[in-house]
Amino acid sequence: MITAIFDYEFLQNAFASGLIIGLVAPALGLFIVVRRLALIADALSHVALAGIAGSLFLSQNVIALAGLNPLYLGIGSSVAGSLLIDRLRELYKSYEELAIPIIMSGGIALGAIFISLAQGFSTDLVGYLFGSVSAVGREDLYTILAVAVITILFIVLTYKELFSMSFDPEYSRAQGISSRALNIWFMIVTALVVAGSMRIVGILLVSSLMTIPVAAAMQIAKGFRQAMLYAAIFGELSVLGGLVAAFYLNLAPGGTIVVISILILLLVLGGKKLVASRNTARNEEVETGEL
Amino acid sequence: MTEPLIELEDVSYRYGDTSALEHIFLTVEKGEFWAVIGPNGSGKSTLIKLILGLIKPLSGQIRLFGRDASDFREKEKIGYVSQKSNAFNRAFPATVREVVRSGLVKKAGLFRRYPADADEKVDSALSAVGMEEFAERSIGDLSGGQQQRVFIARALISNPELLVLDEPTVGIDRKHMQSFYNMLGRLNREKGIAIVLVTHDVDTVSELVTHVACVNRSIHFHGPHEEYSRQESEIRTEWYGHAVRRVHHGSKAADA
């Protein structure tokens, strides 16, 4: 494997992309989880499916677009979907979650139409659905890198506001923070990360890389920065392990990455329980339950 | 004389067809401690939202620190502790330090980091509420009363001249409530911070406050605390639906 990575450009692309996504998706995912928007990542990935399928259809039928990288239309439709969700959430203020099924089914519907127009599933499409080790090109890598730079800049520059808005939205508004503009940017960046991640983990599993490492991190982190650090570590471990397993066992990396992230979550839960039961046993001797 | 911190002049607000507040006049001066009391659904929280600029009045004028509320930008001068603060998700991963520091978010400015002395400020805000030991603890591990002190520290960190608290003791047991209110009293006396406190516990705060406003869609009484004590039973009778109609305004009591 170590030598293979020097020999094959496609492996370099896959691992570099994977390591970037393994960092960025859980870091942004922490905000998505604490703001209870996990389903939005799912909806956006399904909108990206429409863009990918549409792009594959176009490149089959329009000669001028034969070489079009589906990632671009995938990103485009995902960003458009994020803006639509934002509009719908404004429109149905008291039923904000209604936007998600509308956009999600809309995405799948368009995807289904384009897939049947393109005469069924191609291997290309399967790669987008479940991720792929071999299909990541240089262009994909650079696009993913650009997405990561935008995301990290966004998080670093608006960290204070994002934290405050996530922890206590009403307080932030009382402080005069314009949550509207920040929300729209947040949705756009989420759409970018969703679309950027799908090359590696696949459309159907993108949201898991944004949520499962975060779920594990939240179990053991005391603070927010710490949670972000743990989430990124778990994300990287999942992606690395998942890509190695996928390469050697010839499996879809989306599957292996997500299974490993779930194993990490289970380990964290089990470890936490073990520590807790030890501590209570010890504390019962020392303290008398005063906090 | 300096400008009053809050001035409400003939302010009304309605939700759809339902009138929430009618013709409210209220002036809060520097260093005063107001208790805003009233039955459920009387518009107390609406009054607070108006003061904070979370909603705009339908008619009338609100001035904060002498400026029209819609032009008022120095939000850090007003510290806010909401009722909902203690309904946040307890699993939210944040240390007490991170929560208190977020009170500087407006002062620091968009796209900027927290100031270099943010940590010192967190420590001094926490010690003002007696929570300095808890800085590195997870916010979800604290009791309701401790959490509410942390939220006060978050409001204090930007050195506000006015603290606005909307039923901050919901979910805190009686034992800790008194010490919580005493702490507010200390902040008011020692730091000269004006306080507007929406509360149900009239009896618990009666020793601390300087002024009382009784709200039930309109303000039925507002004035110094001693005045309120004298008329308390009448005001309460009125709330609970008896046929007595009395309107008190300022220090002048007028029977209708």
Side-chain angles (χ1 to χ4, degrees), chain A residues 30 33-36 153-154 156-164 166-178 182 214 217-218 221-227 291, chain B residues 49 52 54 75-76 78 80 82 84-85 88-89 91-95 98-99 101-106 108-114 136-139 141 146 151 154-155:
Chain A
L30 177 59
V33 169
V34 295
R35 300 186 62 202
R36 298 169 185 276
L153 271 178
F154 176 70
V156 169
L157 288 177
T158 62
Y159 179 86
K160 298 190 307 311
E161 286 77 12
L162 281 177
F163 174 86
S164 180
S166 311
F167 183 74
D168 193 341
E170 197 191 33
Y171 177 81
S172 310
R173 277 199 296 136
Q175 288 260 293
I177 294 170
S178 156
L182 200 56
V214 173
M218 281 170 69
K222 271 206 185 115
F224 201 74
R225 271 167 205 267
Q226 206 176 50
L291 200 86
Chain B
K49 283 185 183 147
L52 293 166
L54 290 172
K75 301 270 186 177
E76 69 271 8
I78 303 177
Y80 172 45
S82 74
K84 279 190 199 132
S85 293
F88 75 100
N89 191 340
F92 195 103
T95 60
E98 286 174 316
V99 171
R101 191 163 44 201
S102 75
L104 287 171
V105 66
K106 191 64 189 176
L110 188 65
F111 302 138
R112 287 165 199 273
R113 298 173 144 263
Y114 288 117
E136 311 310 327
R137 294 276 290 274
S138 199
I139 183 81
D141 291 343
Q146 292 170 328
F151 293 129
R154 176 178 65 175

Side-chain angles (χ1 to χ4, degrees), chain A residues 244-267:
Chain A
V244 171
F247 177 67
Y248 276 108
L249 305 172
N250 198 20
L251 301 169
T256 52
I257 289 171
V258 172
V259 166
I260 289 178
S261 68
I262 289 176
L263 285 177
I264 291 174
L265 173 63
L266 291 176
L267 276 175

Side-chain angles (χ1 to χ4, degrees), chain A residues 109-129:
Chain A
L110 282 177
I113 290 172
F114 284 124
I115 289 168
S116 40
L117 281 175
Q119 267 113 49
F121 286 85
S122 61
T123 47
D124 265 3
L125 188 63
V126 174
Y128 280 104
L129 286 178

Side-chain angles (χ1 to χ4, degrees), chain B residues 124-134 146 149 153 183 186:
Chain B
S124 75
L126 279 173
S127 74
V129 296
M131 290 290 290
E132 60 273 38
E133 311 278 305
F134 295 85
Q146 292 170 328
R149 282 169 182 258
M183 182 199 72
R186 262 201 317 280

